[in-house]
Amino acid sequence: MGLRFDEICIDARDATALGAWWSQVLGWPHDIDDDGDVRLHAPTGAGVDWIFLAVPDQKVVKNRIHLDFRPDDQQAEVDRVLALGARRVDIGQRGDESWVVLADPEGNEFCILAADE
């Protein structure tokens, strides 16, 4: 017996819009099921699928868990994701970090790390 990590579930006020946004950011295909849940399909080797579930409440505090992404070019990815509608957020950074903290359109924090050298 044991556990296998199968999917990430993300609550969203507008699951359709947020799922489509992340689909664009990640370049992953998505679909919407009969319940209105949005599933992003991770390419082989890229991790697990993401499911966006509609909830009535807004996010009001800092995430207790967040996602980190390692790009080939940090600045290019930060610029691209900001242009898609992300925003910079301050969670107490000092300013000399090697990562950039952003939030998606519903305020979920995530980091774009420095590229591997």
Coordinates of all heavy atoms in Angstrom, one line a residue, residues 4-9 28 39-43 45-51:
R4 N 0.3 7.8 -4.2 CA 0.9 8.3 -5.4 C 0.3 9.7 -5.7 O -0.9 9.9 -5.6 CB 0.5 7.4 -6.6 CG 1.1 7.8 -7.9 CD 0.8 6.8 -9.0 NE -0.6 6.5 -9.2 CZ -1.4 7.1 -10.0 NH1 -1.0 8.2 -10.7 NH2 -2.7 6.8 -10.1
F5 N 1.1 10.6 -5.8 CA 0.7 12.0 -6.1 C 0.0 12.0 -7.5 O 0.6 11.7 -8.5 CB 1.9 12.9 -6.1 CG 1.6 14.4 -6.1 CD1 0.4 14.9 -5.5 CD2 2.4 15.3 -6.7 CE1 0.1 16.3 -5.6 CE2 2.2 16.6 -6.7 CZ 1.0 17.1 -6.2
D6 N -1.3 12.4 -7.5 CA -2.0 12.3 -8.7 C -2.4 13.6 -9.4 O -2.4 13.7 -10.6 CB -3.3 11.5 -8.4 CG -4.1 11.1 -9.7 OD1 -3.5 10.3 -10.4 OD2 -5.2 11.6 -9.8
E7 N -2.8 14.6 -8.6 CA -3.2 15.9 -9.2 C -3.1 17.0 -8.2 O -3.1 16.7 -7.0 CB -4.6 15.8 -9.8 CG -5.6 15.4 -8.8 CD -6.9 14.9 -9.4 OE1 -6.9 14.6 -10.6 OE2 -7.9 14.9 -8.7
I8 N -3.1 18.2 -8.7 CA -3.1 19.4 -7.8 C -4.5 20.0 -8.0 O -4.9 20.3 -9.2 CB -2.0 20.4 -8.2 CG1 -0.7 19.8 -7.9 CG2 -2.3 21.7 -7.4 CD1 0.5 20.7 -8.4
C9 N -5.2 20.3 -7.0 CA -6.5 20.9 -7.0 C -6.4 22.4 -6.5 O -5.9 22.6 -5.5 CB -7.6 20.2 -6.2 SG -7.8 18.5 -6.8
W28 N 0.0 24.2 -21.5 CA -0.6 22.9 -21.4 C -2.0 23.0 -21.9 O -2.7 23.9 -21.7 CB -0.6 22.5 -19.9 CG 0.7 22.2 -19.2 CD1 1.9 22.4 -19.8 CD2 0.9 21.8 -17.9 NE1 2.9 22.1 -18.8 CE2 2.2 21.7 -17.7 CE3 0.0 21.4 -16.9 CZ2 2.8 21.3 -16.5 CZ3 0.5 21.0 -15.7 CH2 1.9 20.9 -15.5
R39 N -9.4 21.1 -16.2 CA -8.3 20.2 -16.0 C -7.2 20.6 -17.0 O -7.4 20.7 -18.2 CB -8.6 18.8 -16.2 CG -7.4 17.8 -16.1 CD -7.8 16.4 -16.3 NE -8.6 15.9 -15.2 CZ -8.2 15.3 -14.1 NH1 -6.9 15.2 -13.9 NH2 -9.0 14.9 -13.2
L40 N -6.0 21.0 -16.5 CA -4.8 21.2 -17.3 C -4.1 19.9 -17.4 O -3.8 19.2 -16.3 CB -3.9 22.2 -16.7 CG -4.1 23.7 -17.0 CD1 -5.5 24.1 -16.6 CD2 -3.0 24.5 -16.5
H41 N -3.8 19.5 -18.6 CA -3.1 18.2 -18.8 C -1.6 18.3 -18.9 O -1.1 18.9 -19.9 CB -3.7 17.5 -20.1 CG -5.1 17.3 -20.0 ND1 -5.7 16.2 -19.4 CD2 -6.2 18.1 -20.4 CE1 -7.0 16.3 -19.5 NE2 -7.3 17.4 -20.1
A42 N -0.9 17.8 -17.9 CA 0.5 18.0 -17.9 C 1.2 17.1 -18.9 O 0.8 15.9 -19.1 CB 1.1 17.5 -16.5
P43 N 2.1 17.6 -19.7 CA 2.8 16.7 -20.6 C 3.6 15.6 -19.9 O 3.9 15.8 -18.7 CB 3.8 17.7 -21.3 CG 3.2 19.1 -21.1 CD 2.5 19.0 -19.8
G45 N 6.1 13.7 -18.1 CA 7.4 14.1 -17.5 C 7.3 15.4 -16.8 O 8.3 15.9 -16.2
A46 N 6.2 16.2 -17.0 CA 6.1 17.5 -16.5 C 5.4 17.6 -15.1 O 5.2 18.7 -14.6 CB 5.4 18.4 -17.5
G47 N 5.0 16.5 -14.6 CA 4.3 16.5 -13.3 C 2.9 16.0 -13.4 O 2.6 15.3 -14.4
V48 N 2.1 16.5 -12.5 CA 0.7 16.0 -12.5 C -0.3 17.0 -13.1 O 0.1 18.2 -13.3 CB 0.3 15.7 -11.0 CG1 1.2 14.6 -10.4 CG2 0.3 17.0 -10.1
D49 N -1.5 16.5 -13.4 CA -2.5 17.4 -13.9 C -2.9 18.4 -12.8 O -2.8 18.1 -11.6 CB -3.7 16.6 -14.4 CG -3.5 15.9 -15.6 OD1 -2.4 16.0 -16.3 OD2 -4.4 15.1 -16.0
W50 N -3.4 19.6 -13.2 CA -4.0 20.6 -12.4 C -5.5 20.6 -12.6 O -5.9 20.6 -13.8 CB -3.4 22.0 -12.6 CG -1.9 22.1 -12.4 CD1 -1.0 21.2 -12.2 CD2 -1.3 23.4 -12.2 NE1 0.2 21.8 -12.0 CE2 0.1 23.1 -12.0 CE3 -1.7 24.7 -12.3 CZ2 1.0 24.1 -11.9 CZ3 -0.7 25.7 -12.2 CH2 0.6 25.4 -11.9
I51 N -6.2 20.7 -11.5 CA -7.7 20.9 -11.6 C -8.1 22.1 -10.9 O -7.8 22.4 -9.8 CB -8.4 19.7 -11.0 CG1 -8.0 18.4 -11.8 CG2 -9.9 19.9 -11.1 CD1 -8.6 17.1 -11.2

